[in-house]
CSV table of all heavy atoms in Angstrom, one decimal:
chain,number,residue,atom,x,y,z
A,3,MET,N,27.9,-58.9,-25.2
A,3,MET,CA,27.9,-57.5,-25.5
A,3,MET,C,29.3,-57.0,-25.9
A,3,MET,O,30.3,-57.7,-25.5
A,3,MET,CB,27.4,-56.7,-24.3
A,3,MET,CG,26.0,-56.5,-24.2
A,3,MET,SD,25.6,-55.2,-23.2
A,3,MET,CE,24.1,-54.7,-23.9
A,4,ALA,N,29.4,-55.9,-26.5
A,4,ALA,CA,30.7,-55.4,-26.9
A,4,ALA,C,31.4,-54.7,-25.6
A,4,ALA,O,30.7,-54.4,-24.7
A,4,ALA,CB,30.5,-54.3,-27.9
A,5,LYS,N,32.6,-54.7,-25.6
A,5,LYS,CA,33.4,-54.0,-24.6
A,5,LYS,C,34.0,-52.7,-25.1
A,5,LYS,O,34.3,-52.6,-26.3
A,5,LYS,CB,34.5,-54.9,-24.1
A,5,LYS,CG,34.0,-56.1,-23.2
A,5,LYS,CD,35.2,-56.6,-22.5
A,5,LYS,CE,34.6,-57.7,-21.6
A,5,LYS,NZ,34.8,-57.3,-20.2
A,6,ILE,N,34.1,-51.7,-24.2
A,6,ILE,CA,34.8,-50.5,-24.5
A,6,ILE,C,35.9,-50.3,-23.5
A,6,ILE,O,35.9,-50.7,-22.4
A,6,ILE,CB,33.8,-49.3,-24.5
A,6,ILE,CG1,33.1,-49.2,-23.1
A,6,ILE,CG2,32.8,-49.3,-25.6
A,6,ILE,CD1,32.3,-47.9,-22.9
A,7,LYS,N,37.0,-49.6,-24.0
A,7,LYS,CA,38.1,-49.2,-23.2
A,7,LYS,C,38.0,-47.7,-22.8
A,7,LYS,O,37.9,-46.9,-23.7
A,7,LYS,CB,39.4,-49.5,-24.0
A,7,LYS,CG,40.6,-49.3,-23.2
A,7,LYS,CD,41.8,-49.8,-24.0
A,7,LYS,CE,43.1,-49.6,-23.2
A,7,LYS,NZ,44.3,-50.0,-24.0
A,8,ILE,N,38.1,-47.5,-21.5
A,8,ILE,CA,38.0,-46.1,-21.1
A,8,ILE,C,39.3,-45.7,-20.4
A,8,ILE,O,39.8,-46.4,-19.6
A,8,ILE,CB,36.8,-45.9,-20.0
A,8,ILE,CG1,35.5,-46.4,-20.6
A,8,ILE,CG2,36.7,-44.5,-19.6
A,8,ILE,CD1,34.4,-46.5,-19.6
A,9,ILE,N,39.9,-44.6,-20.9
A,9,ILE,CA,41.1,-44.1,-20.4
A,9,ILE,C,40.9,-42.7,-19.8
A,9,ILE,O,40.3,-41.9,-20.4
A,9,ILE,CB,42.1,-44.0,-21.5
A,9,ILE,CG1,42.3,-45.3,-22.3
A,9,ILE,CG2,43.5,-43.5,-21.0
A,9,ILE,CD1,42.9,-45.2,-23.6
A,10,GLN,N,41.4,-42.6,-18.6
A,10,GLN,CA,41.3,-41.3,-17.9
A,10,GLN,C,42.4,-40.4,-18.4
A,10,GLN,O,43.6,-40.6,-18.3
A,10,GLN,CB,41.5,-41.4,-16.4
A,10,GLN,CG,41.3,-40.1,-15.7
A,10,GLN,CD,41.4,-40.2,-14.2
A,10,GLN,OE1,41.3,-41.3,-13.6
A,10,GLN,NE2,41.5,-39.1,-13.5
A,11,THR,N,42.0,-39.2,-19.0
A,11,THR,CA,42.9,-38.2,-19.7
A,11,THR,C,43.0,-36.9,-18.8
A,11,THR,O,43.9,-36.2,-19.1
A,11,THR,CB,42.5,-38.0,-21.1
A,11,THR,OG1,41.2,-37.5,-21.1
A,11,THR,CG2,42.6,-39.2,-21.9
A,12,GLY,N,42.0,-36.7,-18.0
A,12,GLY,CA,42.0,-35.4,-17.3
A,12,GLY,C,42.0,-35.7,-15.8
A,12,GLY,O,41.7,-36.8,-15.3
A,13,SER,N,42.4,-34.6,-15.1
A,13,SER,CA,42.5,-34.7,-13.6
A,13,SER,C,41.2,-34.3,-12.9
A,13,SER,O,40.5,-33.4,-13.4
A,13,SER,CB,43.6,-33.8,-13.1
A,13,SER,OG,43.6,-33.7,-11.7
A,14,PRO,N,40.8,-35.0,-11.9
A,14,PRO,CA,39.6,-34.6,-11.2
A,14,PRO,C,39.7,-33.5,-10.2
A,14,PRO,O,38.8,-33.1,-9.5
A,14,PRO,CB,39.2,-35.9,-10.4
A,14,PRO,CG,40.5,-36.6,-10.2
A,14,PRO,CD,41.4,-36.2,-11.4
A,15,ILE,N,41.0,-32.9,-10.1
A,15,ILE,CA,41.2,-31.8,-9.2
A,15,ILE,C,40.4,-30.6,-9.7
A,15,ILE,O,40.2,-30.3,-10.9
A,15,ILE,CB,42.7,-31.4,-9.2
A,15,ILE,CG1,43.5,-32.5,-8.7
A,15,ILE,CG2,42.9,-30.1,-8.4
A,15,ILE,CD1,45.0,-32.3,-8.7
A,16,ARG,N,39.8,-29.9,-8.7
A,16,ARG,CA,38.9,-28.8,-9.0
A,16,ARG,C,37.6,-29.1,-9.8
A,16,ARG,O,37.1,-28.3,-10.5
A,16,ARG,CB,39.6,-27.6,-9.6
A,16,ARG,CG,40.6,-27.0,-8.7
A,16,ARG,CD,41.3,-25.8,-9.3
A,16,ARG,NE,42.0,-26.1,-10.5
A,16,ARG,CZ,42.3,-25.3,-11.5
A,16,ARG,NH1,41.8,-24.1,-11.5
A,16,ARG,NH2,42.9,-25.7,-12.6
A,17,ARG,N,37.2,-30.3,-9.6
A,17,ARG,CA,35.9,-30.8,-10.3
A,17,ARG,C,34.9,-31.0,-9.2
A,17,ARG,O,35.1,-31.2,-8.1
A,17,ARG,CB,36.1,-32.1,-11.1
A,17,ARG,CG,37.2,-32.0,-12.1
A,17,ARG,CD,36.8,-31.2,-13.3
A,17,ARG,NE,37.8,-31.1,-14.2
A,17,ARG,CZ,37.8,-30.2,-15.3
A,17,ARG,NH1,36.8,-29.4,-15.5
A,17,ARG,NH2,38.8,-30.2,-16.1
A,18,ASP,N,33.6,-31.1,-9.7
A,18,ASP,CA,32.5,-31.4,-8.8
A,18,ASP,C,32.7,-32.7,-8.1
A,18,ASP,O,33.3,-33.7,-8.6
A,18,ASP,CB,31.2,-31.6,-9.6
A,18,ASP,CG,30.4,-30.4,-9.7
A,18,ASP,OD1,30.7,-29.4,-9.0
A,18,ASP,OD2,29.4,-30.4,-10.3
A,19,LYS,N,32.1,-32.8,-6.9
A,19,LYS,CA,32.2,-34.2,-6.2
A,19,LYS,C,31.5,-35.3,-7.0
A,19,LYS,O,32.0,-36.4,-7.0
A,19,LYS,CB,31.4,-34.1,-4.9
A,19,LYS,CG,32.1,-33.3,-3.8
A,19,LYS,CD,31.3,-33.3,-2.5
A,19,LYS,CE,31.5,-32.1,-1.7
A,19,LYS,NZ,30.7,-32.1,-0.5
A,20,THR,N,30.4,-34.9,-7.7
A,20,THR,CA,29.7,-36.0,-8.5
A,20,THR,C,30.6,-36.4,-9.7
A,20,THR,O,30.6,-37.6,-10.0
A,20,THR,CB,28.4,-35.3,-9.0
A,20,THR,OG1,28.7,-34.2,-9.9
A,20,THR,CG2,27.5,-35.0,-8.0
A,21,GLN,N,31.4,-35.6,-10.3
A,21,GLN,CA,32.3,-36.0,-11.4
A,21,GLN,C,33.4,-37.0,-10.8
A,21,GLN,O,33.8,-37.9,-11.4
A,21,GLN,CB,32.9,-34.8,-12.1
A,21,GLN,CG,31.9,-34.1,-12.9
A,21,GLN,CD,32.4,-32.9,-13.6
A,21,GLN,OE1,33.6,-32.5,-13.4
A,21,GLN,NE2,31.6,-32.2,-14.3
A,22,ARG,N,33.9,-36.6,-9.6
A,22,ARG,CA,34.9,-37.4,-9.0
A,22,ARG,C,34.4,-38.8,-8.6
A,22,ARG,O,35.0,-39.8,-8.8
A,22,ARG,CB,35.5,-36.8,-7.8
A,22,ARG,CG,36.3,-35.6,-7.9
A,22,ARG,CD,36.9,-35.1,-6.7
A,22,ARG,NE,37.1,-33.7,-6.7
A,22,ARG,CZ,37.4,-32.9,-5.7
A,22,ARG,NH1,37.6,-33.5,-4.5
A,22,ARG,NH2,37.7,-31.7,-5.9
A,23,ALA,N,33.1,-38.8,-8.1
A,23,ALA,CA,32.5,-40.0,-7.7
A,23,ALA,C,32.2,-40.9,-9.0
A,23,ALA,O,32.3,-42.1,-8.9
A,23,ALA,CB,31.2,-39.7,-7.0
A,24,THR,N,31.9,-40.2,-10.0
A,24,THR,CA,31.6,-41.0,-11.3
A,24,THR,C,32.9,-41.7,-11.8
A,24,THR,O,32.9,-42.8,-12.2
A,24,THR,CB,31.1,-40.0,-12.4
A,24,THR,OG1,29.9,-39.5,-11.9
A,24,THR,CG2,30.8,-40.8,-13.7
A,25,LEU,N,34.0,-41.0,-11.7
A,25,LEU,CA,35.3,-41.6,-12.1
A,25,LEU,C,35.6,-42.8,-11.1
A,25,LEU,O,36.0,-43.9,-11.7
A,25,LEU,CB,36.5,-40.6,-12.0
A,25,LEU,CG,36.5,-39.5,-13.1
A,25,LEU,CD1,37.6,-38.6,-12.8
A,25,LEU,CD2,36.8,-40.2,-14.4
A,26,VAL,N,35.4,-42.7,-9.9
A,26,VAL,CA,35.6,-43.7,-8.9
A,26,VAL,C,34.7,-44.9,-9.2
A,26,VAL,O,35.1,-46.1,-9.2
A,26,VAL,CB,35.5,-43.2,-7.5
A,26,VAL,CG1,35.5,-44.4,-6.5
A,26,VAL,CG2,36.6,-42.3,-7.1
A,27,GLY,N,33.4,-44.6,-9.5
A,27,GLY,CA,32.5,-45.6,-9.9
A,27,GLY,C,32.9,-46.4,-11.1
A,27,GLY,O,32.5,-47.6,-11.3
A,28,LEU,N,33.5,-45.8,-12.0
A,28,LEU,CA,34.0,-46.4,-13.2
A,28,LEU,C,35.3,-47.2,-13.0
A,28,LEU,O,35.6,-48.1,-13.7
A,28,LEU,CB,34.3,-45.4,-14.4
A,28,LEU,CG,33.1,-44.8,-15.1
A,28,LEU,CD1,33.5,-43.6,-15.9
A,28,LEU,CD2,32.4,-45.9,-15.9
A,29,GLY,N,35.9,-47.0,-11.9
A,29,GLY,CA,37.2,-47.7,-11.5
A,29,GLY,C,38.4,-46.9,-11.9
A,29,GLY,O,39.4,-47.4,-12.0
A,30,LEU,N,38.3,-45.6,-12.2
A,30,LEU,CA,39.4,-44.8,-12.5
A,30,LEU,C,39.7,-43.9,-11.3
A,30,LEU,O,38.9,-43.3,-10.7
A,30,LEU,CB,39.1,-43.9,-13.7
A,30,LEU,CG,38.7,-44.7,-15.0
A,30,LEU,CD1,38.1,-43.8,-16.0
A,30,LEU,CD2,39.8,-45.5,-15.5
A,31,ASN,N,41.1,-43.8,-11.1
A,31,ASN,CA,41.5,-42.9,-10.0
A,31,ASN,C,42.8,-42.2,-10.3
A,31,ASN,O,43.2,-41.4,-9.5
A,31,ASN,CB,41.5,-43.6,-8.7
A,31,ASN,CG,42.5,-44.8,-8.7
A,31,ASN,OD1,43.1,-45.1,-9.7
A,31,ASN,ND2,42.6,-45.5,-7.6
A,32,LYS,N,43.5,-42.6,-11.4
A,32,LYS,CA,44.8,-42.0,-11.7
A,32,LYS,C,44.8,-41.7,-13.2
A,32,LYS,O,44.2,-42.3,-14.0
A,32,LYS,CB,45.9,-42.9,-11.3
A,32,LYS,CG,46.0,-43.2,-9.9
A,32,LYS,CD,47.2,-44.1,-9.6
A,32,LYS,CE,47.3,-44.3,-8.1
A,32,LYS,NZ,48.3,-45.3,-7.7
A,33,MET,N,45.6,-40.6,-13.5
A,33,MET,CA,45.8,-40.3,-14.9
A,33,MET,C,46.3,-41.4,-15.7
A,33,MET,O,47.2,-42.2,-15.2
A,33,MET,CB,46.8,-39.1,-15.0
A,33,MET,CG,46.2,-37.8,-14.4
A,33,MET,SD,44.9,-37.0,-15.4
A,33,MET,CE,45.8,-36.5,-16.7
A,34,ARG,N,45.9,-41.6,-16.9
A,34,ARG,CA,46.3,-42.6,-17.9
A,34,ARG,C,45.9,-44.0,-17.5
A,34,ARG,O,46.3,-45.0,-18.2
A,34,ARG,CB,47.8,-42.6,-18.1
A,34,ARG,CG,48.4,-41.2,-18.5
A,34,ARG,CD,47.9,-40.9,-19.9
A,34,ARG,NE,48.4,-39.5,-20.3
A,34,ARG,CZ,47.7,-38.5,-20.7
A,34,ARG,NH1,46.4,-38.7,-20.9
A,34,ARG,NH2,48.2,-37.4,-21.1
A,35,LYS,N,45.2,-44.2,-16.4
A,35,LYS,CA,44.6,-45.5,-16.1
A,35,LYS,C,43.5,-45.9,-17.1
A,35,LYS,O,42.7,-45.0,-17.5
A,35,LYS,CB,44.1,-45.5,-14.6
A,35,LYS,CG,43.7,-46.9,-14.2
A,35,LYS,CD,43.4,-47.0,-12.8
A,35,LYS,CE,43.1,-48.4,-12.4
A,35,LYS,NZ,42.7,-48.6,-11.0
A,36,SER,N,43.4,-47.2,-17.4
A,36,SER,CA,42.4,-47.6,-18.4
A,36,SER,C,41.7,-48.8,-17.8
A,36,SER,O,42.3,-49.6,-17.0
A,36,SER,CB,43.1,-47.9,-19.7
A,36,SER,OG,43.9,-49.0,-19.6
A,37,ILE,N,40.5,-49.0,-18.2
A,37,ILE,CA,39.7,-50.1,-17.9
A,37,ILE,C,38.9,-50.6,-19.1
A,37,ILE,O,38.7,-49.8,-20.1
A,37,ILE,CB,38.7,-49.8,-16.7
A,37,ILE,CG1,37.8,-48.6,-17.1
A,37,ILE,CG2,39.4,-49.4,-15.5
A,37,ILE,CD1,36.5,-48.4,-16.3
A,38,GLU,N,38.5,-51.8,-19.1
A,38,GLU,CA,37.6,-52.4,-20.1
A,38,GLU,C,36.3,-52.8,-19.4
A,38,GLU,O,36.3,-53.6,-18.4
A,38,GLU,CB,38.2,-53.6,-20.8
A,38,GLU,CG,39.3,-53.2,-21.7
A,38,GLU,CD,39.8,-54.3,-22.6
A,38,GLU,OE1,39.0,-55.4,-22.7
A,38,GLU,OE2,40.9,-54.2,-23.2
A,39,VAL,N,35.2,-52.3,-19.9
A,39,VAL,CA,33.9,-52.6,-19.3
A,39,VAL,C,32.9,-52.9,-20.4
A,39,VAL,O,33.1,-52.6,-21.6
A,39,VAL,CB,33.3,-51.4,-18.5
A,39,VAL,CG1,34.2,-51.2,-17.2
A,39,VAL,CG2,33.3,-50.1,-19.3
A,40,GLU,N,31.8,-53.6,-20.1
A,40,GLU,CA,30.7,-53.8,-21.0
A,40,GLU,C,30.1,-52.5,-21.5
A,40,GLU,O,30.0,-51.6,-20.7
A,40,GLU,CB,29.7,-54.7,-20.3
A,40,GLU,CG,30.1,-56.1,-20.0
A,40,GLU,CD,30.3,-56.9,-21.3
A,40,GLU,OE1,29.6,-56.8,-22.3
A,40,GLU,OE2,31.2,-57.8,-21.2
A,41,ASP,N,29.7,-52.4,-22.7
A,41,ASP,CA,29.1,-51.3,-23.3
A,41,ASP,C,27.6,-51.3,-23.0
A,41,ASP,O,26.8,-51.9,-23.8
A,41,ASP,CB,29.4,-51.2,-24.8
A,41,ASP,CG,28.9,-49.9,-25.4
A,41,ASP,OD1,28.6,-49.0,-24.7
A,41,ASP,OD2,28.9,-49.8,-26.7
A,42,THR,N,27.2,-50.7,-21.9
A,42,THR,CA,25.8,-50.7,-21.5
A,42,THR,C,25.4,-49.2,-21.4
A,42,THR,O,26.2,-48.3,-21.4
A,42,THR,CB,25.6,-51.3,-20.1
A,42,THR,OG1,26.3,-50.6,-19.1
A,42,THR,CG2,26.1,-52.7,-20.0
A,43,PRO,N,24.1,-49.0,-21.5
A,43,PRO,CA,23.5,-47.6,-21.4
A,43,PRO,C,24.0,-46.9,-20.1
A,43,PRO,O,24.2,-45.7,-20.1
A,43,PRO,CB,22.1,-47.8,-21.4
A,43,PRO,CG,21.9,-49.1,-22.1
A,43,PRO,CD,23.0,-49.9,-21.7
A,44,GLU,N,24.1,-47.7,-19.0
A,44,GLU,CA,24.5,-47.1,-17.7
A,44,GLU,C,25.9,-46.6,-17.8
A,44,GLU,O,26.2,-45.4,-17.3
A,44,GLU,CB,24.4,-48.1,-16.6
A,44,GLU,CG,23.0,-48.5,-16.3
A,44,GLU,CD,22.5,-49.6,-17.2
A,44,GLU,OE1,23.2,-50.2,-18.0
A,44,GLU,OE2,21.3,-49.9,-17.1
A,45,VAL,N,26.8,-47.4,-18.4
A,45,VAL,CA,28.2,-47.0,-18.5
A,45,VAL,C,28.4,-45.8,-19.5
A,45,VAL,O,29.1,-44.9,-19.2
A,45,VAL,CB,29.1,-48.2,-18.9
A,45,VAL,CG1,30.5,-47.7,-19.3
A,45,VAL,CG2,29.2,-49.2,-17.9
A,46,ARG,N,27.6,-45.8,-20.5
A,46,ARG,CA,27.6,-44.8,-21.5
A,46,ARG,C,27.2,-43.4,-20.8
A,46,ARG,O,27.7,-42.4,-21.1
A,46,ARG,CB,26.7,-45.0,-22.7
A,46,ARG,CG,27.3,-46.0,-23.6
A,46,ARG,CD,28.5,-45.4,-24.3
A,46,ARG,NE,29.1,-46.3,-25.2
A,46,ARG,CZ,30.0,-46.0,-26.1
A,46,ARG,NH1,30.5,-44.8,-26.2
A,46,ARG,NH2,30.5,-46.9,-27.0
A,47,GLY,N,26.2,-43.5,-19.9
A,47,GLY,CA,25.8,-42.3,-19.2
A,47,GLY,C,26.8,-41.8,-18.3
A,47,GLY,O,27.0,-40.5,-18.1
A,48,GLN,N,27.6,-42.7,-17.6
A,48,GLN,CA,28.7,-42.2,-16.8
A,48,GLN,C,29.8,-41.6,-17.6
A,48,GLN,O,30.3,-40.5,-17.2
A,48,GLN,CB,29.2,-43.4,-16.0
A,48,GLN,CG,28.4,-43.9,-14.8
A,48,GLN,CD,29.0,-45.1,-14.1
A,48,GLN,OE1,29.4,-46.0,-14.8
A,48,GLN,NE2,28.9,-45.0,-12.8
A,49,VAL,N,30.1,-42.2,-18.7
A,49,VAL,CA,31.1,-41.6,-19.6
A,49,VAL,C,30.7,-40.2,-20.1
A,49,VAL,O,31.5,-39.3,-20.2
A,49,VAL,CB,31.4,-42.6,-20.8
A,49,VAL,CG1,32.2,-41.9,-21.9
A,49,VAL,CG2,32.1,-43.8,-20.3
A,50,ARG,N,29.4,-40.1,-20.4
A,50,ARG,CA,28.9,-38.8,-20.9
A,50,ARG,C,29.1,-37.7,-19.8
A,50,ARG,O,29.4,-36.6,-20.2
A,50,ARG,CB,27.4,-38.9,-21.3
A,50,ARG,CG,26.9,-37.8,-22.2
A,50,ARG,CD,25.6,-38.0,-22.7
A,50,ARG,NE,25.5,-39.3,-23.5
A,50,ARG,CZ,24.7,-40.3,-23.1
A,50,ARG,NH1,24.0,-40.2,-22.0
A,50,ARG,NH2,24.6,-41.4,-23.8
A,51,LYS,N,28.9,-38.1,-18.6
A,51,LYS,CA,29.0,-37.1,-17.5
A,51,LYS,C,30.4,-36.6,-17.4
A,51,LYS,O,30.7,-35.4,-17.0
A,51,LYS,CB,28.5,-37.7,-16.2
A,51,LYS,CG,28.5,-36.8,-15.0
A,51,LYS,CD,27.8,-37.3,-13.9
A,51,LYS,CE,27.6,-36.2,-12.9
A,51,LYS,NZ,26.6,-36.6,-11.8
A,52,VAL,N,31.4,-37.5,-17.6
A,52,VAL,CA,32.8,-37.1,-17.5
A,52,VAL,C,33.6,-37.2,-18.8
A,52,VAL,O,34.8,-37.4,-18.8
A,52,VAL,CB,33.5,-37.9,-16.4
A,52,VAL,CG1,33.0,-37.6,-15.0
A,52,VAL,CG2,33.4,-39.4,-16.7
A,53,ALA,N,32.9,-36.8,-19.9
A,53,ALA,CA,33.5,-37.0,-21.2
A,53,ALA,C,34.7,-36.1,-21.4
A,53,ALA,O,35.6,-36.5,-22.2
A,53,ALA,CB,32.5,-36.6,-22.3
A,54,HIS,N,34.8,-35.0,-20.7
A,54,HIS,CA,35.9,-34.1,-20.8
A,54,HIS,C,37.2,-34.6,-20.0
A,54,HIS,O,38.2,-34.0,-20.1
A,54,HIS,CB,35.6,-32.7,-20.3
A,54,HIS,CG,35.1,-32.6,-18.9
A,54,HIS,ND1,33.8,-33.2,-18.6
A,54,HIS,CD2,35.6,-32.3,-17.7
A,54,HIS,CE1,33.5,-33.1,-17.2
A,54,HIS,NE2,34.6,-32.5,-16.7
A,55,LEU,N,37.0,-35.7,-19.2
A,55,LEU,CA,38.1,-36.3,-18.5
A,55,LEU,C,38.5,-37.6,-18.9
A,55,LEU,O,39.5,-38.2,-18.4
A,55,LEU,CB,37.6,-36.4,-17.0
A,55,LEU,CG,37.3,-35.1,-16.3
A,55,LEU,CD1,36.8,-35.4,-14.9
A,55,LEU,CD2,38.5,-34.1,-16.2
A,56,VAL,N,37.8,-38.2,-19.9
A,56,VAL,CA,38.1,-39.6,-20.4
A,56,VAL,C,38.1,-39.6,-21.9
A,56,VAL,O,37.6,-38.8,-22.6
A,56,VAL,CB,37.1,-40.7,-19.8
A,56,VAL,CG1,37.2,-40.7,-18.3
A,56,VAL,CG2,35.7,-40.4,-20.3
A,57,SER,N,38.7,-40.6,-22.4
A,57,SER,CA,38.6,-41.0,-23.8
A,57,SER,C,38.1,-42.4,-23.9
A,57,SER,O,38.4,-43.2,-23.1
A,57,SER,CB,39.9,-40.8,-24.6
A,57,SER,OG,40.9,-41.7,-24.1
A,58,VAL,N,37.3,-42.7,-25.0
A,58,VAL,CA,36.7,-44.0,-25.1
A,58,VAL,C,37.1,-44.6,-26.4
A,58,VAL,O,37.2,-44.0,-27.5
A,58,VAL,CB,35.2,-43.9,-25.1
A,58,VAL,CG1,34.5,-45.3,-25.2
A,58,VAL,CG2,34.8,-43.2,-23.8
A,59,GLU,N,37.5,-46.0,-26.4
A,59,GLU,CA,37.8,-46.7,-27.6
A,59,GLU,C,37.0,-48.0,-27.6
A,59,GLU,O,36.7,-48.5,-26.5
A,59,GLU,CB,39.3,-47.0,-27.7
A,59,GLU,CG,40.2,-45.9,-27.5
A,59,GLU,CD,41.7,-46.3,-27.4
A,59,GLU,OE1,41.9,-47.5,-27.2
A,59,GLU,OE2,42.5,-45.4,-27.4
A,60,THR,N,36.9,-48.7,-28.7
A,60,THR,CA,36.3,-50.0,-28.7
A,60,THR,C,37.4,-51.0,-28.4
A,60,THR,O,38.5,-50.9,-28.9
A,60,THR,CB,35.7,-50.3,-30.1
A,60,THR,OG1,36.7,-50.2,-31.1
A,60,THR,CG2,34.5,-49.4,-30.4
A,61,ALA,N,37.1,-51.9,-27.5
A,61,ALA,CA,38.1,-52.9,-27.1
A,61,ALA,C,38.2,-54.0,-28.1
A,61,ALA,O,37.2,-54.4,-28.7
A,61,ALA,CB,37.7,-53.5,-25.7
A,62,ALA,N,39.4,-54.5,-28.3
A,62,ALA,CA,39.6,-55.5,-29.4
A,62,ALA,C,39.3,-56.9,-28.9
A,62,ALA,O,39.3,-57.2,-27.7
A,62,ALA,CB,41.0,-55.4,-29.9
């Protein structure tokens, strides 16, 4: 499967607990931290939930 790179661009301060938990579930906890994960429907759903806090790129 393809991989995507997710970069945290927004702060979880003053956000819902569920949005914070989603960031932690993705492996993000600090600004500008990035991860590479498999592009699955589950991950896409998590990204959609916190779309205002992350940016997504295709991994090379």
